[in-house]
Amino acid sequence: MNKDIFLTNSLGNKKEKFIPINEKKIGMYVCGPTVYDDPHIGNARPLVIFDILYKVLKCKFGSKSVRYVRNITDIDDKIIQSSIEKKISISDLTTKVTSNYHDDCKYLKCEKPNDEPKATENISLMINMIEDLIKKNYAYEIKNHVYFEVKKFKDYGKLSNKKLEELIAGSRVEISENKKNPEDFVLWKPSNNNEPYWESPWGKGRPGWHLECSVMSRKYLGDTFDIHAGGVDLVFPHHENEMAQSQCANGLDSFAKIWMHNGFLTIEGEKMSKSIGNIVSVRDLLKENSGETIRLCMLMTHYRQPINWTTKSMKQAKKTLDGWYSSLKEFEGKGQKTEVPKKFIKALADDLNTPRAISILHELSSEQKKRPSQQNRDNLIAAGNLLGFFNFTPQEWFDSNEKNNSSEIDVLVVEKKILERDKAREAGDFSRADKLRNELTKLGVVLEDGPNGTKWRHN
Ligand code: AMP
Ligand code: ZN
């Protein structure tokens, strides 16, 4: 098999041939979740997309040649805020959310990364990097804070393709009277009473978010490595700042060779947000849908494009999987080990072109339907496995569908009705709120109102 892979590099914004630094030791780092709440369907996008990248790299270069690192951010302002709102301790919150996140990964059929470092387990390395940056004159301390002095890094803005003046004018920088310059960002900050803290040369405090990933990627993958990835919202400031810190610390003009970013996911045409109340968690979707269906729905759109997540697209994904599984009914068994069809891997190696790969799966499936043979079936299974499908036998797949279909709950409809009910309650329109509760009861949904909003479960 040839080793050609082409990837779009956000640094330079063009598709380029992937040339590993060392093809026996390929390193990829993906920014993992901040564990303050259960993962939503937008968070699932980088999980699924970069799981495909991991599989493609292993398929081309051998499974022992790739090291996949995905961190867990378990200290952050959002976590502190969420633990106050939910009235539980920070450690209970992060343990619970991390465990739910691992369950989601499992159901979405995402492989475990090779390393999953937690920020709180690497604080001393973070302190070391800050000390080093101060020593090299890239960072300064003011009133127990340490800031990175952006203008000292000549390539600042190269990743997000922005000039420093634009970034400052764009008000996406945190204004603080402590800083020398508005664009400088925090490496260390003091903790207030009751907030978690670590001892440091700058007093009791905690690290800045951007620094965490610079330190954890270096620990496992070295000063420079092959691929760094995450959602497009991370390009600025998170990745821009990571690049600045890391290159100044390592003294090289390179950090990650290729930066990859997945596009944003919206729900029924709207941005997901707490204030709109339309956040759909992976857990909720999994109540009614198989992880494979969610996965396929995610992969029907190219990773760089935005996705509009709809009930309709989920139904389409489910129907497609039913078709594929039904073509596997002829010839039982797991299938013989066979090579992934060349055109299929070629599609994925072309900047993870999953829509094209899916159309090839359609061809393989109809080939098997027209001319059933062990070989055709094996080709379909080998290709599907590379995208994370066919974890069930056709029998298991259709049996579990029957169970799901018997309840026929549409998660997005439920979420919408709950949102309408919340609004009615806020407006004091209790008869409308009761009517909506009754409608949900008829759908087989039980509501549980709590201090953190309304949760629902099956009757
Ligand atoms: P967070 O927990 O907010 O740090 O996000 C974890 C990952 O999910 C990051 O790579 C984000 O870029 C990504 N992400 C968050 N929201 C969305 C969304 N709506 N669409 C796509 N990716 C997202
Ligand atoms: Zn990160």
Side-chain angles (χ1 to χ4, degrees), residues 31-34 40 42-43 45-46 78 209 230-234 262-265 272:
C31 291
T34 305
H40 58 60
N43 300 134
R45 195 169 190 197
K78 279 196 237 169
W209 170 41
V232 68
D233 57 320
L234 301 187
N262 64 268
F264 230 54
L265 179 149
M272 258 188 293

Side-chain angles (χ1 to χ4, degrees), residues 29 31 71 209 213 228 238-239 242:
Y29 183 95
C31 291
N71 71 296
W209 170 41
C213 287
H228 196 318
H238 185 54
H239 287 164
E242 261 190 61

Side-chain angles (χ1 to χ4, degrees), residues 181-197:
N181 314 292
E183 68 276 16
D184 297 348
F185 59 87
V186 78
L187 300 175
W188 187 268
K189 61 179 172 188
S191 293
N192 296 324
N193 290 342
N194 303 326
E195 289 177 352
Y197 68 84

Side-chain angles (χ1 to χ4, degrees), residues 245-426:
Q245 296 157 161
S246 291
Q247 287 191 204
C248 292
N250 70 23
L252 304 168
D253 59 3
S254 159
F255 169 46
K257 268 187 83 174
I258 294 198
W259 290 84
M260 292 175 71
H261 294 101
N262 64 268
F264 230 54
L265 179 149
T266 50
I267 294 273
E268 305 279 359
E270 264 190 306
K271 190 175 173 202
M272 258 188 293
S273 88
K274 225 176 173 178
S275 56
I276 303 177
N278 62 347
I279 296 181
V280 175
S281 70
V282 176
R283 291 179 88 68
D284 277 342
L285 275 180
L286 282 168
K287 285 178 189 162
E288 297 305 322
N289 302 281
S290 145
E292 285 194 18
T293 308
I294 298 174
R295 211 176 154 93
L296 177 58
C297 195
M298 199 70 88
L299 298 176
M300 291 185 319
T301 305
H302 188 261
Y303 78 94
R304 288 176 48 80
Q305 301 297 323
I307 289 192
N308 181 23
W309 195 267
T310 61
T311 302
K312 204 168 145 213
S313 55
M314 283 286 281
K315 282 195 175 140
Q316 191 192 333
K318 165 77 173 48
K319 210 168 132 206
T320 299
L321 276 163
D322 284 349
W324 293 345
Y325 269 106
S326 76
S327 68
L328 290 179
K329 276 184 178 161
E330 297 259 1
F331 300 95
E332 279 305 308
K334 281 250 167 219
Q336 319 292 318
K337 260 236 151 322
T338 193
E339 274 215 353
V340 180
K342 278 202 179 65
K343 60 180 175 180
F344 187 78
I345 182 78
K346 194 171 172 208
L348 289 177
D350 181 12
D351 202 19
L352 308 183
N353 193 333
T354 53
R356 199 188 306 150
I358 289 167
S359 73
I360 296 170
L361 275 177
H362 280 301
E363 284 169 25
L364 294 171
S365 166
S366 59
E367 187 62 25
Q368 165 67 354
K369 270 194 184 134
K370 272 188 249 148
R371 277 175 285 280
S373 74
Q374 188 69 50
Q375 185 59 51
N376 284 342
R377 184 178 189 269
D378 291 347
N379 286 342
L380 176 58
I381 292 179
N385 283 168
L386 190 58
L387 281 188
F389 302 130
F390 306 141
N391 297 281
F392 308 97
T393 64
Q395 179 81 39
E396 286 167 344
W397 176 259
F398 289 108
D399 282 356
S400 73
N401 279 344
E402 255 163 42
K403 265 184 241 143
N404 280 347
N405 288 343
S406 65
S407 63
E408 274 285 352
I409 291 179
D410 183 327
V411 176
L412 296 186
V413 169
V414 170
E415 298 282 336
K416 257 191 186 158
K417 282 193 190 294
I418 291 177
L419 175 63
E420 270 182 56
R421 176 173 168 267
D422 285 346
K423 283 190 180 146
R425 290 205 311 167
E426 261 171 49

Side-chain angles (χ1 to χ4, degrees), residues 140-158:
Y140 57 91
E141 183 198 357
I142 291 185
K143 295 189 192 156
N144 306 103
H145 292 71
V146 183
Y147 292 99
F148 182 89
E149 192 163 3
V150 165
K151 66 168 180 269
K152 297 253 172 88
F153 179 57
K154 65 174 178 16
D155 281 341
Y156 197 83
K158 204 170 168 187

